[in-house]
């Protein structure tokens, strides 16, 4: 048998290609392998197109046309075969790996704010109504601001009221209260009048128990201006207590001592008579301490840049976690940072 002519070889390429594609039997992998064999870099179609160089000159035009036709025919057949194979694969997965669309989806549990954040927001809201701005200052403080400038020189016995965490950097401590924020805000705003609250975390080196933690929140308040008096302090705290704990609350003021206020007071609120926990919470007195406060000491005013002969001010410091514990009869302060969802989900 004589050798096939180039045109005959092209015809054979087409029939052979179509037959092989048909026997790939709707399997995607086999269909793709076929494509590589015919259309890959070293594929048979490419070789056939390149073969034009060996064809006699007068036959080239006919050869080129025929080769192109073969190429298009095989390409079209491939596209159809691939689609058929993919459709078959989809049908198969729908019948064998069936999904039960009637199964309920997985519930997303929406997060919510930590109870401590919730009460902070409530406090911000109340003081915003009273014209206070929120002012934040640092948690790592200098000994100077945490104590000295608040009228507690080194070795002052009042420093014993705060068990302090020291850092390895001399003079740098974890703030034991939010009061050093008073100095920051005064030095920034002086000589303007001030009406701010300073919320944030404080740290004390205490044995952790149901009643004390090494970290806890405080909200400090500071008001400075001409003619600010104890009556303003009393009015502000009464307004706060009534918005926070109920419109009928009374406040009671006892004298106290803080080095940075003079005079210093402690403020109690009366606990509702109809609350069955009243006696336990108030140890039978009916009154509950909610914060410490006082008129800003002249030395502190001066340290903040103000002239105590021209302006006066008041300050207070409260513990929002303690307020939450009162409101919800929480008897263990460690629950706050324990990350126990059974506790957190109740709020
Ligand atoms: N800084 C005080 C404390 O932590 C509270 C306080 C603040 C008292 C402001 C008076 C004025 O105990």
């Amino acid at each position: 048998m004589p050798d096939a002519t180039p045109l005959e070889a092209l015809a054979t390429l087409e029939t052979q290609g179509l037959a092989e594609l048909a026997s790939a039997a709707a399997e995607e992998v086999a269909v793709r392998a076929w494509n590589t064999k015919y259309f890959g870099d070293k594929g048979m179609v490419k070789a056939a197109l390149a073969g034009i160089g060996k064809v006699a000159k007068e036959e080239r035009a006919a050869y080129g046309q025929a080769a192109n036709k073969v190429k298009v025919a095989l390409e079209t057949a491939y596209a159809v075969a691939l689609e058929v194979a993919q459709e078959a694969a989809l049908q198969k997965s729908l019948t064998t790996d069936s999904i039960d669309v009637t199964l309920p989806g997985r519930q997303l549990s929406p997060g919510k704010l930590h109870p401590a954040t919730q009460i902070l927001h409530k406090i911000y809201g109340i003081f915003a109504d009273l014209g206070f701005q929120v002012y934040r200052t640092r948690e790592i403080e200098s000994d100077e601001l945490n104590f000295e400038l608040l009228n507690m020189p080194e070795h002052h016995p009042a420093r014993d009221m705060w068990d302090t965490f020291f850092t390895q950097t001399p003079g740098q401590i974890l703030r034991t209260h939010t009061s050093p924020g008073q100095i920051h805000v005064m030095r920034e705003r002086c000589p303007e009048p001030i009406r701010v609250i300073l919320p944030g975390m404080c740290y004390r080196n205490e044995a952790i128990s149901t009643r004390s933690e090494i970290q806890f929140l405080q909200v400090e308040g500071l008001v400075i201006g001409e003619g600010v008096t104890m009556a303003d302090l009393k009015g502000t705290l009464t307004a706060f207590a009534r918005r926070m704990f109920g419109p009928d609350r009374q406040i009671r003021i006892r004298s106290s001592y803080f080095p940075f206020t003079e005079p210093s007071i402690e403020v109690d609120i009366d606990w509702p008579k109809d609350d069955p926990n009243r006696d336990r919470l108030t140890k039978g007195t009916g009154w509950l301490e909610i914060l410490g406060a006082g008129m800003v000491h002249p030395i502190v005013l001066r340290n903040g840049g103000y002239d105590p002969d021209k302006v006066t001010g008041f300050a207070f410091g409260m513990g929002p976690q303690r307020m939450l514990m009162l409101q919800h009869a929480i008897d263990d302060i460690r629950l706050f940072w324990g990350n126990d969802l059974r506790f957190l989900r109740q709020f």
Side-chain angles (χ1 to χ4, degrees):
M1 206 164 102
D3 275 357
T5 66
L7 281 173
E8 279 166 353
L10 275 181
T12 312
L13 177 65
E14 179 172 358
T15 32
Q16 186 195 327
L18 291 174
E20 274 180 32
L21 188 59
S23 69
E27 277 289 337
E28 190 178 336
V29 190
V31 171
R32 286 190 187 280
W34 177 94
N35 186 49
T36 313
K37 180 174 172 189
Y38 281 84
F39 285 99
D41 277 348
K42 294 178 185 147
M44 294 166 76
V45 174
K46 206 165 182 186
L49 290 172
I52 197 163
K54 287 186 227 141
V55 174
K57 241 189 181 151
E58 50 294 359
E59 279 175 29
R60 274 190 195 161
Y63 183 89
Q65 267 178 9
N68 241 340
K69 257 170 74 188
V70 170
K71 179 177 168 246
V72 172
L74 290 178
E75 261 172 8
T76 318
Y78 169 71
V80 172
L82 186 64
E83 199 172 307
V84 169
Q86 284 173 336
E87 175 66 16
L90 177 63
Q91 287 305 330
K92 191 169 156 224
S93 99
L94 284 177
T95 45
T96 52
D97 334 322
S98 62
I99 309 162
D100 182 353
V101 292
T102 64
L103 265 181
R106 268 184 215 140
Q107 279 269 305
L108 285 181
S109 67
K112 52 179 173 169
L113 295 176
H114 191 283
T117 309
Q118 291 180 32
I119 192 165
L120 281 179
H121 286 183
K122 184 164 181 197
I123 293 172
Y124 300 162
I126 292 172
F127 280 107
D129 283 352
L130 300 174
F132 283 73
Q133 292 177 307
V134 173
Y135 191 95
R136 293 183 182 279
T137 62
R138 47 193 297 189
E139 292 175 17
I140 297 176
E141 250 323 336
S142 63
D143 181 280
E144 193 187 13
L145 269 87
N146 195 85
F147 293 119
E148 240 175 275
L149 297 173
L150 294 174
N151 198 25
M152 281 177 278
E154 226 181 321
H155 307 303
H156 192 292
R159 287 187 176 209
D160 286 348
M161 288 161 75
W162 298 274
D163 291 306
T164 310
F165 278 118
F166 297 88
T167 69
Q168 284 170 326
T169 312
Q172 296 288 305
I173 62 169
L174 299 190
R175 67 175 176 190
T176 60
H177 51 174
T178 42
S179 301
Q182 291 187 26
I183 303 289
H184 285 289
V185 65
M186 282 194 272
R187 288 188 168 176
E188 188 191 295
R189 298 279 170 90
C190 183
E192 299 294 316
I194 291 175
R195 197 188 287 176
V196 294
I197 52 173
L198 307 113
M201 201 60 88
C202 304
Y203 304 86
R204 288 187 198 168
N205 188 0
E206 312 219 15
I208 297 177
S209 71
T210 53
R211 295 173 56 88
S212 48
E213 254 282 18
I214 57 171
Q215 67 172 91
F216 57 94
L217 290 165
Q218 273 195 348
V219 177
E220 186 97 3
L222 180 69
V223 172
I224 290 177
E226 274 176 39
V228 174
T229 68
M230 193 87 168
D232 299 312
L233 171 59
K234 211 174 140 185
T236 302
L237 294 179
T238 307
F240 169 75
R242 292 187 177 161
R243 283 169 164 83
M244 189 75 193
F245 296 103
D248 305 325
R249 297 282 61 78
Q250 299 294 321
I251 71 167
R252 176 174 85 168
I253 285 176
R254 287 176 293 114
S255 94
S256 182
Y257 171 74
F258 299 101
F260 33 88
T261 45
E262 180 58 34
S264 301
I265 59 172
E266 253 154 61
V267 177
D268 302 337
I269 56 169
D270 67 326
W271 203 247
K273 293 203 173 52
D274 52 4
D275 183 342
N277 293 316
R278 184 175 193 254
D279 270 355
R280 186 176 55 82
L281 286 174
T282 67
K283 301 194 185 84
T285 64
W287 293 93
L288 205 80
E289 186 196 325
I290 56 161
L291 53 85
M295 299 306 291
V296 180
H297 197 289
I299 289 181
V300 177
L301 280 174
R302 200 170 288 126
N303 289 339
Y306 289 86
D307 179 351
D309 291 329
K310 293 208 180 104
V311 297
T312 47
F314 66 76
F316 55 84
M318 60 178 80
Q321 287 167 258
R322 197 173 123 75
M323 290 177 187
L324 258 188
M325 291 174 80
L326 293 174
Q327 284 177 326
H328 298 284
I330 299 166
D331 54 12
D332 188 344
I333 196 171
R334 295 171 300 184
L335 287 165
F336 277 100
W337 317 128
N339 277 342
D340 186 337
L341 289 178
R342 288 169 303 179
F343 169 71
L344 296 174
R345 285 202 176 113
Q346 294 178 54
F347 298 91

